[in-house]
Amino acid sequence: MVNKLILLDSPLLLLESNEVENLLTYKRRTIEHMLQVEASQEPSRVYSLKQLLQRLLKSNSHLNEECGELLLQRGTTKVATGLVLNRDQKISWPENSFDFLSRELYAHSIRKLQAHVLFIKAVHGYFDVRRESYYSKESLSFMIHTLKSTLKERFQFVEVPGNHCVHMSEPQHVASIISSFLQHKHMLTA
């Protein structure tokens, strides 16, 4: 049983009712594409730390060098000639990184949730990087409203300065908030 749930700048793509019917078609295409990529994959490439860090920072402008090195520490394996990426690059594709839910299913799931929830949003985080998308903002508003109205005192929302990786680049912005949340004695209802 989950007693406390912490969401750190968590993206969730909520589908409108008319979009839900296309979800299976979209998922089918994603799976077919992944199978094609897997069939044509070459053996793992070996990189130097410098090469991987440059590649990571180039494709993730919100990361600083220190965060990039932290991610590479846990995301690579040292081999005789350099470093090999541990993770499957396909998980970084947007179609594999997000959960797609209808608003109805999201609201239903939240009603079943018994845990206390802390949602920490970075000021320049996931939802704000995509500023041009009204849908992302509206989706975030819907998520927060649903959590707040359903969970009431079991929900806490905090916005902190920083970007999506604020927990790594500026941990002082989130550490005390998380620590306080975890140390507070929340009693679950039976």
Side-chain angles (χ1 to χ4, degrees), residues 15-110:
L15 300 174
E16 298 298 329
S17 298
N18 62 341
E19 296 173 306
V20 174
E21 63 191 50
N22 297 322
L23 182 60
L24 291 177
T25 301
Y26 179 69
K27 286 291 186 183
R28 181 180 298 114
R29 286 185 189 148
T30 299
I31 292 168
E32 289 169 355
H33 180 246
M34 284 177 41
L35 291 172
Q36 288 174 346
V37 169
E38 284 177 352
S40 65
Q41 271 191 335
E42 299 172 10
S44 297
R45 288 190 51 198
V46 178
Y47 300 92
S48 71
L49 176 60
K50 185 177 179 180
Q51 287 173 312
L52 281 177
L53 187 58
Q54 286 175 344
R55 185 176 156 186
L56 181 65
L57 296 177
K58 182 180 178 185
S59 61
N60 296 280
S61 60
H62 61 280
L63 289 177
N64 62 31
E65 196 168 315
E66 185 180 0
C67 288
E69 288 174 356
L70 283 172
L71 289 171
L72 289 175
Q73 275 179 7
R74 72 172 191 221
T76 58
T77 299
K78 190 171 182 132
V79 294
T81 56
L83 298 170
V84 176
L85 290 168
N86 290 341
R87 70 186 185 107
D88 186 342
Q89 293 300 301
K90 292 185 299 298
I91 66 168
S92 63
W93 296 347
E95 60 266 27
N96 297 327
S97 301
F98 302 108
D99 288 326
F100 293 91
L101 293 173
S102 68
R103 291 171 182 266
E104 296 79 13
L105 183 56
Y106 178 77
H108 176 76
S109 299
I110 297 305

